[in-house]
Amino acid sequence: HNFHAASASASNNKSQSKGSNNNSGRRNGSRPTSAGPNHFTVTTKLIEHLKPSDVDGKADLWTMSPPCQPFTGTTNSKKLDGQDKRTAGFRAVMTLLSAVTTKPKYILLENVKGFVGSQMLDEFYDCLDGNGYSWEEYLLTPMQLGIPNHRRRYYLIAERSDR
């Protein structure tokens, strides 16, 4: 249930080149902690501990992939849906989305195909609708995107617009 927020400090952010071992400004291989002209700040908190001010207006795109175990149809899964404690982080994201003043323009959500028809997806639809989003949904295998994995996945792309 971790939320990783990265805020760019320069409009032309450039990451380190591949293969670079430059750890300047880092201790024990940790991420940079202060923003400079070509760096970004990474903050890690439990989603349940975030306040609206932590995320309000900080990103045009929110990506999410809630834990899939509550929606998985494997033999060891209980498919508890919204009663599974692992859905708490996803509910916290919905609460944050409703609370922020400057909402992200886009939201991308990914999960297992068992997410379709779930109570949590119905709650997410209500959250999106109540916050002015329109969306499209897809059931795709990563093979359709050139990724060598045959498991079908659920994708939702939402856009907030004043149109």
Side-chain angles (χ1 to χ4, degrees):
H1 297 65
N2 283 332
F3 173 86
H4 301 280
S7 58
S9 61
S11 60
N12 187 10
N13 240 358
K14 294 181 181 175
S15 60
Q16 285 182 328
S17 61
K18 290 183 180 178
S20 172
N21 289 328
N22 181 358
N23 281 332
S24 62
R26 298 181 186 194
R27 289 188 197 124
N28 301 325
S30 64
R31 294 184 174 132
T33 56
S34 63
N38 290 315
H39 292 89
F40 56 91
T41 301
V42 175
T43 310
T44 302
K45 288 185 179 181
L46 288 174
I47 292 172
E48 294 89 335
H49 296 158
L50 288 173
K51 298 177 290 225
S53 61
D54 292 328
V55 296
D56 198 349
K58 305 240 170 113
D60 290 328
L61 170 67
W62 285 13
T63 61
M64 51 189 86
S65 183
C68 63
Q69 295 89 339
F71 318 107
T72 301
T74 62
T75 54
N76 293 329
S77 173
K78 293 183 174 87
K79 208 168 183 181
L80 294 173
D81 198 351
Q83 286 67 49
D84 193 304
K85 65 181 180 178
R86 290 170 285 201
T87 61
F90 187 44
R91 281 198 170 102
V93 168
M94 289 188 268
T95 300
L96 282 170
L97 183 61
S98 296
V100 295
T101 304
T102 306
K103 300 179 188 318
K105 182 168 175 111
Y106 302 101
I107 296 173
L108 173 63
L109 181 138
E110 175 274 339
N111 214 300
V112 295
K113 67 180 178 180
F115 192 63
V116 175
S118 69
Q119 168 197 336
M120 291 306 299
L121 183 55
D122 286 342
E123 288 181 30
F124 192 53
Y125 289 154
D126 291 343
C127 178
L128 290 172
D129 193 47
N131 285 288
Y133 287 88
S134 58
W135 62 90
E136 292 191 20
E137 305 168 273
Y138 304 90
L139 277 175
L140 303 169
T141 65
M143 289 292 292
Q144 292 171 285
L145 305 172
I147 301 167
N149 183 330
H150 293 282
R151 290 186 183 171
R152 185 170 289 195
R153 307 296 289 182
Y154 170 80
Y155 299 91
L156 180 144
I157 301 170
E159 178 185 20
R160 189 165 193 275
S161 166
D162 295 329
R163 293 184 257 168

